Structure formats: structure tokens, C-alpha cells
Amino acid sequence: MQAIPTSAEAGSASVSQLFGYPFRIFFLSMTVLALSVIPVWVLQVTGVVNMPLAMPGLFWHQHEMLFGFLTAAIAGFLLTAVCVWTQTERTHGFRLVLLWGVWLAGRLLLAFGADLPDWLVQGVNLAFLPLVMLDAGWRVWKAKQKRQLMLLVVLGLLWLMQIGFVTRLDMTYSHGALIAAMALISIVGGRITPAFTSGWLRQRGLNADAVKNIPTLDMASLFSMILLLASLVTGWQALTGGLSLIAGTLVLVRLANWKGWLARKEPLLWVLHLSILWVPVSLYLLAGTIFAGWPSNAWSHAAGTGAISCLILGVIARVTLGHTGRALVLPKGMVVAFIAIQLAAVIRVLTAFDIIPWHPGIGSSSLLWMFAFGMYLVRYTRILASPRPDGQPG
């Protein structure tokens, strides 16, 4: 098995290298934000600090996790992947600096802009996703890849949820954003997870044909979540509960067809399957919220901490290695990080049900979250800031 290049073999790390490809700067920035928002939020709600936030603390926390953390992950992955899909030149250098600057400005304005006009704070924060969609969209249009259009449509729905959230400060839109994010998982996860799994099995002479991908089922799963998003935002409770059960079951059937247990020896694969399993769990918990009165923060944290955060960590760990020309061999400690982020999600959901008391539940889940992303920061920062060992752009 090929060893991971050392820092000397990979070349000198530098800040300029971070702007050589979108995944580099956005994965690093996203991780720093992940490690900052949680402790700041805890200090804010406990009264230890009083930051001049541009919106109430709870809404700031939700916005930064959904439209700061998540959108940085989307930008890093999508703007890297779409260049490969469409065979177009990557966004890098000054253009990437400007795009990243818009994202960073949004974070700073929300954290310190209490005395600034709403139109400025909202306008800057709402500018980022359209810029990402524009960058990806012209490439898709130029390459005439209609297959990618649905991805842009769902990104547009996520942006609409952000508009509703920042202008109305209504948690309905943050919940809608969680559904939109899981719809993105349905698309992206449905492409990479079965493909990576079957490829891994084939390389080892195992039964790659056991992994099934049914396009009709894929579309049914995606459209059920789009309908679920519409019903949730418009307040059709019974319909939302029913669609949650349908969408959750469709995702579960897809996941079963991908035969994740066959790749249980490969952490870079089982983390994808286990993370996507949180999608049906979240949707079933949403149905329980509507039909049985379960706490709403159970499904929202299963979606946010479970499905979204766990999958992001698994994807960025793999993408960073692959796109920097390194072997797909996890750095030391990353398997523990994968386990920690999964445990953080489990503990957070159990805390929502009062199975674990609030203070130890919040504290332990936060520490596990920070450990997981902290491990990525420690193990991957030099990789992100170093050139590829083969001299290729990436």
C-alpha cells in the first residue's frame, strides 16, 4: 500500500497554496468555524461572553451551522467536483480569494455587526450561495450536463430557506434548510457512496455487482424530500409527517441496496454509509415529532449533527487525500474522529429526549464534535496548504 507523502515530499506549505483549489481554503475555513461556533455559543448562552451578534444568539448559532459551516463544505466540494465533471478550469487565485472573502465577511458581520444595518449584514450573507451556484452553473451550462441541474435546483431551495431565515428569524426556514441539505445528501451521497463501495469491492476481487443503484428509486427519494420541504414550510403538518415516513423509507431502501456492510473494513466507506443512515433516522424522528409529540430538536440534531456533519467529515477526509494526489490512507487518529462525531450525534439526540441530562449531554457531545473536527484540522492542515507531490494542480 502506498504511504502518505511526508511534508518534505509534498513540498512546502504556504497560504497561497490554499487558494490553488476551492476545497483547500473552504475545508480549512469550515473546520475552523466548526471549532469556533460551538464554544462561542456555549459561552454566549451561559453569559460568560456577550458578543455583539447581529441576530439573537440561538438564530446566530443555527445560521452559522447551516449557512456558514454547511455552505463552506458545499463550496469546497462542489466547485472542486464540478471542474472534474465538466472538464473546465478550476476557480483559483484572485477569484477564489474574492469568493472566500464574501463567505468570511458574512461570518464577521454576523458575529460583530450588532450595530450595523440589517440590509448590509443580510445582503453579504445572502450573496455567497448565488455566487457558488453561478460559478458551478456556467460550467454545467457550458458542458451541457443536464444531470447536474437538479443539484443546482436544490442549492437554490437551500438559498430560499436562508432568505426566509435571515429576513424573518423563523425556525421553520432553518428546519427547511435541514431538509434541503438532506436532499443534497440524497444526490451527492447517491453518486459517490455506491460508486466508491463497488470500486473498493472490485479492487479486492469481491462481489462489486452486489451494490445496486436504481435510478427510479433515486429520483423518488429526491422528489419526496422536495415535497417534504414544501409541506414543512407551508405548515401542512399531517402531510409533512406522512412524507417524512415515505422519504425516510426510500432513503433506507437505497442505503440497503448499497451494501455498506460489505465495506465495513474500510473507514472511508463505512463512515459514508453510517452517516447517510442518519437521514432516515432524522426523517422518522420528524414524523414522531408531528404524530407523537417527540421533541423537535431530536430530529433537527439527528439531521444536523448526524447526517450533515458526519457525512461532511467523512467526505472532506477523502476528498482532501484524493485531490492532493495522496493515497486513500487515513492519517492517524481519523478513525477515532469518525467514531467521535457519530457518538456526538447519538448523545445529542438522546439528550433531546432527556435520556441523558442536559448539561452532561450538551457538554460531552460538544467535546466529541470539537475533537472530531480538531483532529481533521491537526492532520490535514499541512496537506491542504501543501502542493501535490506529483506537481499537478490540485
Side-chain angles (χ1 to χ4, degrees):
M1 183 175 292
Q2 182 182 350
I4 300 175
T6 65
S7 58
E9 292 168 334
S12 300
S14 67
V15 173
S16 61
Q17 192 64 42
L18 291 172
F19 295 95
Y21 232 105
F23 74 91
R24 292 178 178 270
I25 186 60
F26 281 114
F27 287 177
L28 181 61
S29 301
M30 176 211 75
T31 306
V32 172
L33 182 67
L35 291 169
S36 304
V37 168
I38 297 300
V40 168
W41 162 239
V42 172
L43 293 173
Q44 184 80 13
V45 297
T46 55
V48 176
V49 300
N50 186 23
M51 292 183 61
L53 304 177
M55 58 176 59
L58 176 61
F59 294 103
W60 171 80
H61 170 67
Q62 291 181 346
H63 185 278
E64 290 307 89
M65 297 313 299
L66 281 168
F67 304 112
F69 171 75
L70 174 60
T71 58
I74 290 171
F77 175 83
L78 180 61
L79 298 185
T80 298
V82 78
C83 296
V84 178
W85 297 339
T86 60
Q87 298 297 299
T88 53
E89 175 63 21
R90 72 197 190 282
T91 297
H92 65 288
F94 185 64
R95 284 179 56 198
L96 182 55
V97 171
L98 290 178
L99 181 62
W100 175 75
V102 172
W103 177 87
L104 180 62
R107 313 285 64 74
L108 295 174
L109 287 173
L110 278 175
F112 302 104
D115 297 326
L116 296 175
D118 288 344
W119 64 264
L120 175 62
V121 177
Q122 293 173 5
V124 172
N125 275 279
L126 290 174
F128 181 66
L129 264 181
L131 290 173
V132 173
M133 289 187 285
L134 183 64
D135 190 300
W138 81 263
R139 299 172 192 278
V140 170
W141 179 267
K142 185 177 179 180
K144 299 180 180 179
Q145 292 188 354
K146 296 181 180 180
R147 179 171 179 256
Q148 318 299 349
L149 292 178
M150 187 52 69
L151 187 58
L152 296 175
V153 168
V154 176
L155 275 178
L157 293 175
L158 179 64
W159 184 53
L160 289 177
M161 294 303 101
Q162 186 185 16
I163 292 174
F165 186 81
V166 300
T167 57
R168 300 187 181 184
L169 295 182
D170 186 340
M171 288 177 61
T172 299
Y173 297 100
S174 63
H175 289 165
L178 288 171
I179 301 298
M182 289 192 286
L184 287 172
I185 290 174
S186 180
I187 297 173
V188 176
R191 292 182 185 180
I192 65 175
T193 307
F196 291 164
T197 303
S198 61
W200 185 87
L201 292 171
R202 188 173 295 109
Q203 289 173 2
R204 284 150 185 80
L206 301 175
N207 185 17
D209 293 334
V211 179
K212 304 295 183 184
N213 216 12
I214 304 171
T216 303
L217 183 60
D218 295 345
M219 293 303 296
S221 173
L222 175 59
F223 279 106
S224 68
M225 277 195 275
I226 292 175
L227 291 174
L228 171 60
L229 170 60
S231 66
L232 185 147
V233 172
T234 54
W236 292 15
Q237 290 279 61
L239 181 59
T240 298
L243 286 170
S244 297
L245 293 173
I246 293 171
T249 302
L250 290 172
V251 174
L252 197 59
V253 172
R254 290 178 77 201
L255 196 56
N257 284 336
W258 300 341
K259 305 293 191 300
W261 56 88
L262 297 179
R264 60 188 177 275
K265 294 182 179 180
E266 175 49 66
L268 283 168
L269 290 176
W270 64 247
V271 71
L272 301 182
H273 290 271
L274 198 56
S275 299
I276 295 173
L277 180 60
W278 279 104
V279 174
V281 169
S282 305
L283 295 173
Y284 289 151
L285 288 173
L286 173 56
T289 298
I290 293 171
F291 294 132
W294 293 352
S296 62
N297 62 341
W299 85 264
S300 63
H301 282 100
T305 310
I308 297 170
S309 300
C310 292
L311 187 65
I312 284 174
L313 185 62
V315 169
I316 66 175
R318 183 187 185 103
V319 168
T320 303
L321 293 175
H323 279 279
T324 57
R326 288 159 173 81
L328 297 179
V329 180
L330 278 172
K332 184 179 179 180
M334 284 306 298
V335 174
V336 180
F338 288 168
I339 295 171
I341 193 71
Q342 298 285 340
L343 286 176
V346 171
I347 291 171
R348 190 63 188 87
V349 172
L350 293 178
T351 302
F353 281 102
D354 293 326
I355 296 172
I356 298 176
W358 194 83
H359 282 291
I362 295 297
S364 57
S365 61
S366 298
L367 288 174
L368 287 165
W369 160 283
M370 292 175 66
F371 170 81
F373 283 100
M375 184 60 69
Y376 177 85
L377 188 68
V378 169
R379 298 301 184 193
Y380 280 86
T381 296
R382 178 164 289 276
I383 296 175
L384 289 167
S386 299
R388 287 175 59 117
D390 58 9
Q392 298 296 316

